[in-house]
Amino acid sequence: MRRWIFAAACLSASAALSACNSAKDVLEPSAVAPTEQSAALAKTEGTDVAAPAVTGAASAAATAVPAQTAAIMTKARVQFAPIVGATVEAATPLTQRLGARARERGITLAGSTDTTPPGIIMRGYFSAMTEGKDTTVVYVWDVYDPAGTRLHRINGQQTAASAGSGDGWPAVAPATMQAIADSTIDQLAQWLAAKPG
């Protein structure tokens, strides 16, 4: 239980930090907000973020995209804001896989140099906790319109055997972050397909 309170505090603090991040550095691991800031703010923030509902492996949604669904997803240009809470090393396989999976699912990503505003902006908040031989990454993606109104939330967690040494982010394997990217894009595609217009 204490682990979830810590995760909720970190994610709540990360949400507060997101207002300071610029969305211009899209899918750039170097744009990851420092974890130290998240940890410092976690001590002062409340724990109002609910524990993620999704657990385990990435979503098993099919990669084939029907024509009508593909048309809906292609219209919605998605921009990923800088990721909060993860290290650059952990964010690199995540961002690479987000781009590849989005292309597979027919989702158009807006780049950092695009002059046309995106249709939606995704802000991600991450936390990693090691317990025993396993490390769990908890993630929350808030989906916003260009005006800053939150439209949707994607959240979950991914647990895998710890890789390397240490606790937290040094123990997170690239495959764990790639599975999170797959699940994120699959859930985004499902939401876009169900979204009117």
Side-chain angles (χ1 to χ4, degrees), residues 32-105:
V32 174
T35 308
E36 293 79 21
Q37 288 178 343
S38 299
L41 280 176
K43 294 178 184 174
T44 60
E45 290 287 327
T47 58
D48 58 346
V49 176
V54 179
T55 60
S59 165
T63 28
V65 181
Q68 182 180 3
T69 303
I72 293 168
M73 288 188 276
T74 305
K75 288 180 191 175
R77 295 177 66 250
V78 179
Q79 184 175 59
F80 282 87
I83 297 163
V84 177
T87 63
V88 172
E89 292 79 16
T92 299
L94 172 78
T95 58
Q96 290 171 345
R97 186 64 185 150
L98 284 170
R101 187 66 167 181
R103 282 188 297 278
E104 288 174 11
R105 295 301 303 257

Side-chain angles (χ1 to χ4, degrees), residues 6 35 87 90 127-137 162-173:
F6 170 75
T35 308
T87 63
S127 178
M129 298 154 291
T130 300
E131 190 172 312
K133 294 183 179 183
D134 294 332
T135 299
T136 300
V137 177
S162 297
S165 61
D167 291 345
W169 290 112
V172 176

